[in-house]
Amino acid sequence: MPNGIIIIDKPSGWTSMDVCAKLRGILKEKRVGHGGTLDPMATGVLPVFVGSATKAVEFAEKGDKEYVAGLRLGVVTNTQDVTGEVLSTAPVSAAQEDLEAVLPRFTGPIRQVPPMFSAIKIKGQKLYELARRGQEVERKPRPVTIHALQVLERTGEAEYLIRVRCSKGTYVRTLCHDIGQALGCGGCMSSLRRTMAAGFTLEDAVTLERVQEGGEALLLPVDCFFTGCPVLLLTSPKAERLCRNGNPLPAADMGPGEYRVYAPDGTFLCLSRWEKGQLVSIKNFFGG
């Protein structure tokens, strides 16, 4: 049965779940999940986890991400991107230097008000469902971190490409909207391409057409997702049994941190954390 990770270069017009459904058909495996939603208009890096590798999805969703976004000044929409209804337009007098001058305000720890067209739930209802019915509710600002924000190029009279490296939960279209507000002319997101997620980049990504041709052979082993963690290769069948039975492993001579634990034959068993002289399993990856 197929198990592993595949990094898809998501095409525009597809939802992240559309991609997963397509891969279920190609790989003949029901257990398929993605590591971070991309809106249909967005393209780029979508890590997809297959088979027993789906156990790693929870770790993928937590990491930082990087995007190249189109910023269109002078236009405000109800979705904060060009797919929405235009609410207002305004002349743009701001030059590139003015745009670059406001970016420090949006760099580092900031607070964002989530857009109405989002999947966030308030009192059990998704905001986008309320928005489609013409309703708007109060949303509390949420803390996010913008690690890097820069103008890459000017692509039109009032249009720019910006690079954004940010924490989980950041809405890039809200960032574009807020930058437009700061410049006094309004703004929205005109395009979005994710260039990095879960530590994977566009260089690691393949198209759905390539997967159709190459199939299971394109899957990466799940332990490649944890390459930042040191390796512990067990040397005895007894230690492997302890690990497979969910028991802590004695590890008095190891330091704090997370470790990749392997069986004597090299099989990746689990991700473990050192606690008080023992390695305790965080997530097991053995079995189907």
Side-chain angles (χ1 to χ4, degrees):
M1 297 177 69
N3 296 291
I5 304 171
I6 190 161
I7 314 305
I8 298 297
D9 186 347
K10 190 189 85 66
S12 179
W14 289 60
T15 68
S16 299
M17 293 308 296
D18 288 340
V19 172
C20 289
K22 182 69 173 179
L23 292 176
R24 288 188 190 101
I26 295 173
L27 300 173
K28 311 302 182 189
E29 169 59 59
K30 293 181 179 178
R31 295 170 299 167
V32 176
H34 62 80
T37 302
L38 279 175
D39 289 340
M41 75 172 286
T43 66
V45 175
L46 181 69
V48 179
F49 297 76
V50 179
S52 62
T54 53
K55 297 173 184 177
V57 167
E58 63 185 87
F59 302 97
E61 293 175 337
K62 298 174 183 176
D64 294 340
K65 299 173 177 65
E66 186 174 278
Y67 301 87
V68 171
L71 167 63
R72 181 171 298 171
L73 297 177
V75 180
V76 175
T77 74
N78 63 342
T79 59
Q80 301 181 343
D81 61 35
V82 293
T83 67
E85 175 188 344
V86 175
L87 301 178
S88 66
T89 60
V92 179
S93 58
Q96 182 168 334
E97 311 89 77
D98 301 309
L99 170 59
E100 292 173 339
V102 303
L103 295 188
R105 298 190 211 172
F106 300 95
T107 305
I110 65 170
R111 299 180 73 82
Q112 275 193 335
V113 176
M116 277 300 301
F117 281 87
S118 65
I120 292 172
K121 288 185 178 180
I122 291 183
K123 295 181 179 179
Q125 287 194 293
K126 292 180 179 178
L127 287 178
Y128 70 78
E129 293 174 346
L130 297 174
R132 286 173 181 168
R133 296 200 295 266
Q135 300 177 37
E136 183 162 352
V137 296
E138 183 180 355
R139 290 97 67 202
K140 293 182 179 178
R142 296 185 169 202
V144 297
T145 302
I146 309 297
H147 300 290
L149 180 58
Q150 68 178 122
V151 177
L152 294 179
E153 62 176 303
R154 185 173 185 171
T155 56
E157 186 176 344
E159 189 130 7
Y160 298 86
L161 278 183
I162 60 173
R163 182 177 74 91
V164 184
R165 190 180 182 100
C166 55
S167 66
K168 173 189 175 183
T170 302
Y171 285 94
V172 178
R173 52 197 164 100
T174 298
L175 181 64
C176 291
H177 172 87
D178 293 346
I179 289 171
Q181 294 299 106
L183 289 170
C185 57
C188 67
M189 187 178 76
S190 58
S191 65
L192 186 67
R193 184 157 177 77
R194 187 155 68 191
T195 55
M196 188 277 288
F200 298 102
T201 69
L202 285 170
E203 292 182 357
D204 304 306
V206 295
T207 62
L208 286 170
E209 290 78 14
R210 175 92 184 279
V211 183
Q212 191 81 58
E213 296 168 1
E216 187 178 341
L218 296 175
L219 291 173
L220 303 170
V222 67
D223 55 330
C224 76
F225 181 63
F226 303 106
T227 51
C229 302
V231 170
L232 173 64
L233 180 64
L234 303 180
T235 56
S236 72
K238 179 180 178 181
E240 181 181 352
R241 283 196 302 273
L242 282 173
C243 185
R244 287 185 180 272
N245 289 332
N247 297 314
L249 296 172
D253 58 343
M254 300 179 72
E258 296 179 352
Y259 292 82
R260 286 178 285 157
V261 181
Y262 292 81
D265 66 358
T267 301
F268 178 49
L269 296 176
C270 60
L271 180 70
S272 295
R273 180 185 296 113
W274 187 90
E275 294 178 0
K276 299 178 181 179
Q278 296 181 318
L279 276 177
V280 180
S281 175
I282 299 172
K283 183 70 69 173
N284 295 327
F285 290 93
F286 52 83

